[in-house]
Amino acid sequence: MLFRSGSELEAAIRRKLQTFTPLASKTILLEDIPTAVQYPPGCLSRARSAEDCSFPNEKDSPNRVQLRDIADRVPGITVVNPYSKVCPSSQCQVVRDGIIMYFDEGHLTNTFAETLDGWVSQWLGSAVNSARAPSSR
């Protein structure tokens, strides 16, 4: 779908997010992981070092910032940004602590995803517990 303006896009995103409000007291919007600019396994097979396959951190790209701003204005939506765990510096790595992080440009390997278990449990558990709390209405 093409939008004529930023405000039209914003309205469409807001409408989509608001469809979740009647279904749940809280909705988590998990942002995409950083997208590698080239196929990491292929790059690693040709590279002299894993650093050669790193790519720029774009956590504050205009599209991501716009999505966060829109979501922040919709009641009941919580945005979770994986960048602090997947790409905490200005360059995103494809290998950490000897673990290949990316299966392809936009998907983490199961092995690396398992290292995020504590982080996911923390924010997901908190959201579930707060959603179960009795309403003060």
Side-chain angles (χ1 to χ4, degrees):
M1 175 180 276
L2 296 175
F3 297 97
R4 287 184 223 116
S5 68
S7 61
E8 195 174 304
L9 174 61
E10 180 172 340
I13 292 170
R14 185 185 312 262
R15 278 192 308 274
K16 182 52 76 179
L17 293 175
Q18 288 171 335
T19 63
F20 298 112
T21 305
L23 304 174
S25 61
K26 295 193 185 277
T27 300
I28 296 172
L29 175 63
L30 178 60
E31 286 190 44
D32 284 340
I33 61 165
T35 303
V37 296
Q38 56 184 322
Y39 181 64
C43 179
L44 289 168
S45 72
R46 295 183 305 276
R48 284 182 279 203
S49 79
E51 301 296 318
D52 295 341
C53 300
S54 67
F55 56 95
N57 181 325
E58 295 185 354
K59 72 178 171 110
D60 292 323
S61 70
N63 289 343
R64 288 180 178 279
V65 170
Q66 182 184 25
L67 179 60
R68 281 182 222 129
D69 289 345
I70 294 166
D72 285 345
R73 293 191 303 268
V74 177
I77 302 289
T78 299
V79 178
V80 176
N81 183 330
Y83 271 76
S84 66
K85 298 299 177 187
V86 178
C87 182
S89 61
S90 63
Q91 284 291 112
C92 299
Q93 304 303 314
V94 297
V95 175
R96 183 182 299 156
D97 299 327
I99 298 172
I100 297 174
M101 299 169 62
Y102 284 85
F103 173 78
D104 61 18
E105 294 90 343
H107 297 92
L108 300 175
T109 62
N110 288 340
T111 304
F112 180 72
E114 288 173 355
T115 70
L116 303 175
D117 180 58
W119 172 72
V120 171
S121 295
Q122 181 182 13
W123 60 258
L124 188 57
S126 174
V128 168
N129 290 336
S130 67
R132 288 183 179 158
S135 175
S136 59
R137 293 182 214 173

